[in-house]
Amino acid sequence: MSDFYTDYARLEKCTADKDPVTCIHSKFGLHYILSGKGYFDGKCLGAGQGFVCFKNERYNYYPDPEDPWTYFWIGIVGDYEKIYEFFNSIGINDNCSTFSFDWEEKLLKLIHDYFTDGIYIMENEMHSEGLVKIILSEHLNSKENESRMSRREMHVKKAKQFIQNNIQNRISAEDVASSLFLSRAYLRNIFTEYVGIPPKKYIIDMKVERAKELLRIKRLSVTDIANSVGYDDALLFSRVFKIHTGLSPLGYRKSVVQSGEDE
């Protein structure tokens, strides 16, 4: 018999009015936030972050009313000591039950391969053991990568990841710092050191690059594109775009059409 395996897993798109989960858990629960945000024991968490509910402990978590999260979660059962030992080896314990991850694509592929209608049905214990070990091995890989990087480098990496995962939202440098529980001044200093520009400029640059991709799709209006990169005001978006590219959004689209790169 294996040391631990998953007996249940689910991909859940929470609604804004979903009631908070407040209970003593009967098993270990691993949650991976894929989009949106919510609150776990008072902490605001978003895409690229996750949390662990330990067996026989009480937790409180719920989706953000304005941007409810979608998360993938698995229930892990088996040898209590072995499970706890594994979590502790990757830095997850009673004192720090939240984490960040940067392998969403692998996770989504697993969900596609193993799940039907967002729900995992255990075929047998070996199948279940295989799924949970694939997932947990990614934590070990991330931990090894983290050990090869300085804490400052990891903060920058996670800041860039947060920005890329939230490019469609209205985000500020302060939002990025808060997501990592860092001060805005500290993040600005290390981000400028490693990236060469402050996070505020990086956010705008990424939004402009994403807008350029969308402008190649002729059926999308400038308003659609503005909304897709976190701007409620299409005129403000157009001004920002022109400052950074020297062209209006429609001027850029025209230049793409002339070069034959449109879709």
Side-chain angles (χ1 to χ4, degrees):
M1 183 175 180
S2 58
D3 292 331
F4 46 82
Y5 57 93
T6 182
D7 68 337
Y8 185 81
R10 185 179 180 187
L11 177 64
E12 184 171 358
K13 182 177 178 61
C14 297
T15 59
D17 59 353
K18 180 180 178 179
D19 292 332
V21 176
T22 304
C23 63
I24 297 175
H25 282 255
S26 61
K27 64 187 74 173
F28 290 85
L30 258 173
H31 300 70
Y32 300 87
I33 305 166
L34 299 173
S35 65
K37 59 185 178 180
Y39 296 87
F40 172 73
D41 279 356
K43 295 180 180 178
C44 181
L45 302 177
Q49 295 178 292
F51 57 93
V52 177
C53 294
F54 286 89
K55 183 179 179 181
N56 297 331
E57 297 291 336
R58 183 185 295 277
Y59 299 94
N60 176 274
Y61 52 95
Y62 55 92
D64 180 87
E66 296 183 358
D67 187 17
W69 55 19
T70 292
Y71 56 56
F72 165 69
W73 71 274
I74 62 175
I76 301 176
V77 295
D79 187 317
Y80 178 93
E81 295 299 328
K82 293 289 186 182
I83 300 171
Y84 196 94
E85 181 182 324
F86 177 85
F87 282 140
N88 195 55
S89 73
I90 59 175
I92 299 174
N93 52 54
D94 293 335
N95 297 320
C96 182
S97 53
T98 61
F99 58 87
S100 295
F101 65 100
D102 58 1
W103 36 278
E104 294 95 333
E105 289 185 7
K106 290 183 179 180
L107 187 57
L108 288 170
K109 185 178 185 307
L110 283 174
I111 294 171
H112 179 270
D113 291 344
Y114 277 79
F115 289 71
T116 301
D117 297 328
I119 299 176
Y120 171 69
I121 304 299
M122 185 175 73
E123 295 181 1
N124 53 59
E125 187 176 306
M126 184 174 293
H127 185 269
S128 175
E129 180 187 358
L131 171 61
V132 74
K133 286 191 173 181
I134 290 172
I135 292 172
L136 296 182
S137 70
E138 292 299 332
H139 282 279
L140 286 175
N141 291 337
S142 295
K143 191 67 178 177
E144 290 172 1
N145 290 338
E146 184 174 345
S147 67
R148 289 194 285 267
M149 302 176 74
S150 71
R151 183 174 295 275
R152 290 157 66 89
E153 288 175 309
M154 281 304 302
H155 285 157
V156 171
K157 177 183 176 182
K158 290 176 180 179
K160 291 172 70 176
Q161 175 189 327
F162 178 85
I163 292 168
Q164 290 161 0
N165 289 342
N166 290 275
I167 208 69
Q168 74 279 9
N169 300 321
R170 293 181 62 184
I171 55 172
S172 65
E174 186 172 350
D175 293 328
V176 182
S178 296
S179 75
L180 300 174
F181 308 104
L182 303 174
S183 74
R184 183 176 176 179
Y186 171 77
L187 178 62
R188 177 186 173 88
N189 289 340
I190 62 171
F191 203 94
T192 303
E193 177 184 349
Y194 285 96
V195 183
I197 55 175
K200 181 178 180 179
K201 185 176 188 311
Y202 184 84
I203 291 170
I204 295 174
D205 287 351
M206 292 299 99
K207 287 180 178 292
V208 168
E209 288 304 309
R210 176 58 178 156
K212 286 180 179 179
E213 294 176 8
L214 296 175
L215 282 164
R216 290 176 165 83
I217 305 173
K218 291 187 289 184
R219 67 177 180 274
L220 296 179
S221 69
V222 171
T223 298
D224 290 334
I225 294 168
N227 293 336
S228 297
V229 293
Y231 286 89
D232 296 329
D233 185 339
L235 291 177
L236 174 59
F237 161 71
S238 295
R239 286 198 296 270
V240 171
F241 189 89
K242 187 169 185 178
I243 289 171
H244 283 74
T245 66
L247 294 169
S248 68
L250 292 180
Y252 178 83
R253 172 173 281 169
K254 184 178 180 180
S255 71
V256 169
V257 171
Q258 290 174 342
S259 66
E261 298 177 10
D262 64 306
E263 294 182 9

